[in-house]
Amino acid sequence: MPEYGYFLSCEQYGPAELIEQARMAEQAGFRSLWISDHYHPWTDEQGQSPFVWSVIGALSEAVSLPVETAVTCPTVRVHPAVVAQAAATSAVMSPGRFRLGVGTGEALNEHILGDAWPPAHVRLEMLEEAIQVMRRLFTGEEVNHHGTHYTVENARLYTVPDEPVPIDISGFGPAATKLAARVGDGYITMMPDASMVEQYRKGGGGGKPVSGGTKVCYGTDRRECVRTAHRLWANELLPGELGQVLPSPKHFEQAQTLVTEDMVGENRVCGDDVDEHVAELRRFADAGFDRVYVNQIGPDLRGFFDFYRTKVLPQLQPSG
């Protein structure tokens, strides 16, 4: 039976709102938290993008739930040595309750300093080297590293947790999934695809955790929920590599004009049909996921958490 958590969206909410949502999630019976790590929102309509590490510090005091970044890109915008320090401090503030989710990122967030945006295979190479650097730093020993993509000289983290920070790797295709299986402490993917889970398990993932997430728009008026989901998150239905290569929110706004409300209504759980919400989360359970995170798109947060506390989560608990 998977563990069910709540997905905090830094693209859509400011710091105080995220902290309040985390409190409501804990009270509603969610067992853990994901939090996105962005420099920009996907579109101006989403409207926010707080610095995730500040929010994680506040979460460590506000709730007792485990927290994971979903996901941090430790390769271009922020050097892996700096990400390692941020992650180590987060783990010290939340003993045994912090995991670092990492991925190859998007141009939307990573090219802001004028760096070239590498092709996918190079980004995977950079991610693997970044993970090597961070793991060495988590030991608390001095690190000198002269690699293909990164240089670290006389670097030592003095504030480190008792156990190294677990690093889960995001993968949406065979190459990234293979890397996750080979070097990750867990696997993150957003589609309930049993074949990808099987590839991860057979490739070396074994008993390591597989985590996934989904967005829903809870509300009593399904049509209004579809409109809200289309307005705020139509970008999630863009095809291919657009999500990785488009460089700014305005480009996502231009591209998502190709996504209709009907497309959103067919691909996103909207409204207050309990069976639809339960079925969406069970798709991940059936595909072999260990952890499933859900995010509420719409404005009725209190209604959403009450709905999940009383009607959805009880149906997802083991019987007896």
Side-chain angles (χ1 to χ4, degrees), residues 216-220 225 269-272 277 296-300 302-305 307-308:
V216 302
C217 191
Y218 165 81
T220 56
C225 288
V269 173
C270 294
D272 60 354
H277 286 263
Q296 158 69 343
I297 294 173
D300 187 2
R302 293 196 178 278
F304 164 85
F305 284 114
F307 178 69
Y308 267 68

Side-chain angles (χ1 to χ4, degrees), residues 2 5 21 52 56 85 88 120 147 206 224 237:
Q21 287 177 34
V52 71
I56 288 171
Q85 185 185 28
E224 181 61 29
L237 294 180

Side-chain angles (χ1 to χ4, degrees), residues 21 54 97 104-105 112 116 118 127 156 177 181 205 210 215 222 236 242 271 273-274 281 289 298 300 306:
Q21 287 177 34
S54 300
R97 295 186 288 115
T104 57
I112 59 168
L127 181 61
R156 178 185 170 190
T177 301
V210 174
K215 294 183 184 296
R222 185 180 188 279
E236 288 209 321
L242 289 177
D273 186 310
V274 177
L281 299 187
F289 283 70
D300 187 2
D306 188 58

